[in-house]
Amino acid sequence: MRKLYLYISLIPFFLFSQTATLEVDTSQLRIGEHFRLKIKVHDVQLDSVLWPQNVQILENFDLIDQLPSSLYLEGDTYAYKEYIFTSFDTGRFVIDSIPIMYGLKDSLFTESLAIHYLATPIDTTNHFFDIKPPKKI
């Protein structure tokens, strides 16, 4: 009976808890390609979220654009903010957990995420072609 009471008392904490997630449009990229990073905070109001500044988010990537924050209301309600990044290095980069302030008292943390930048093959044949003459019209 005590275990049943304990389980029932913990249900509201799981049902009404806020969560923060990271989403990326793709995780396999070539050098110089852009990717969109979307930070979602579920079950909050838009004006109560303090989004991280661009210098705090990612040090290994170059920020291309920072879109304004929005609120999604259909079905699942969440606030989100999108960033567009790129990189000119190859390798596996891990986006660490990002802290997000909620209501000036509570902080939410996202999960970590990996991004892979692949090397592009370089043509090493060193085959040079002659310059074509101008065409006569």
Side-chain angles (χ1 to χ4, degrees):
M1 184 65 180
R2 293 175 86 186
K3 289 183 182 181
L4 180 63
Y5 178 71
L6 179 66
Y7 290 132
I8 292 173
S9 66
L10 291 178
I11 288 175
F13 291 114
F14 296 116
L15 292 178
F16 301 111
S17 63
Q18 293 85 18
T19 58
T21 58
L22 279 179
E23 286 184 4
V24 190
D25 57 353
T26 183
S27 62
Q28 299 280 333
L29 301 156
R30 290 184 299 250
I31 296 175
E33 287 186 335
H34 301 160
F35 68 94
R36 286 181 177 261
L37 177 74
K38 183 187 278 190
I39 303 173
K40 289 183 178 181
V41 181
H42 294 271
D43 299 326
V44 296
Q45 295 180 0
L46 185 62
D47 57 349
S48 63
V49 178
L50 288 173
W51 300 101
Q53 299 299 319
N54 54 7
V55 293
Q56 297 173 345
I57 296 177
L58 303 170
E59 298 172 358
N60 296 326
F61 300 100
D62 297 325
L63 180 68
I64 302 298
D65 197 8
Q66 180 176 347
L67 304 174
S69 57
S70 299
L71 187 64
Y72 183 78
L73 296 173
E74 293 183 22
D76 190 18
T77 303
Y78 58 86
Y80 68 94
K81 186 161 178 90
E82 286 187 84
Y83 301 89
I84 301 174
F85 290 101
T86 189
S87 179
F88 296 98
D89 294 329
T90 59
R92 180 179 182 264
F93 300 101
V94 177
I95 301 172
D96 292 329
S97 179
I98 299 173
I100 299 165
M101 294 297 295
Y102 168 65
L104 299 175
K105 296 179 183 177
D106 193 15
S107 60
L108 303 171
F109 292 92
T110 63
E111 70 277 358
S112 297
L113 192 65
I115 303 287
H116 300 274
Y117 268 92
L118 307 171
T120 55
I122 299 173
D123 185 17
T124 58
T125 59
N126 293 330
H127 190 105
F128 294 104
F129 297 100
D130 291 335
I131 298 174
K132 294 182 180 180
K135 292 183 178 181
K136 295 181 182 178
I137 300 179

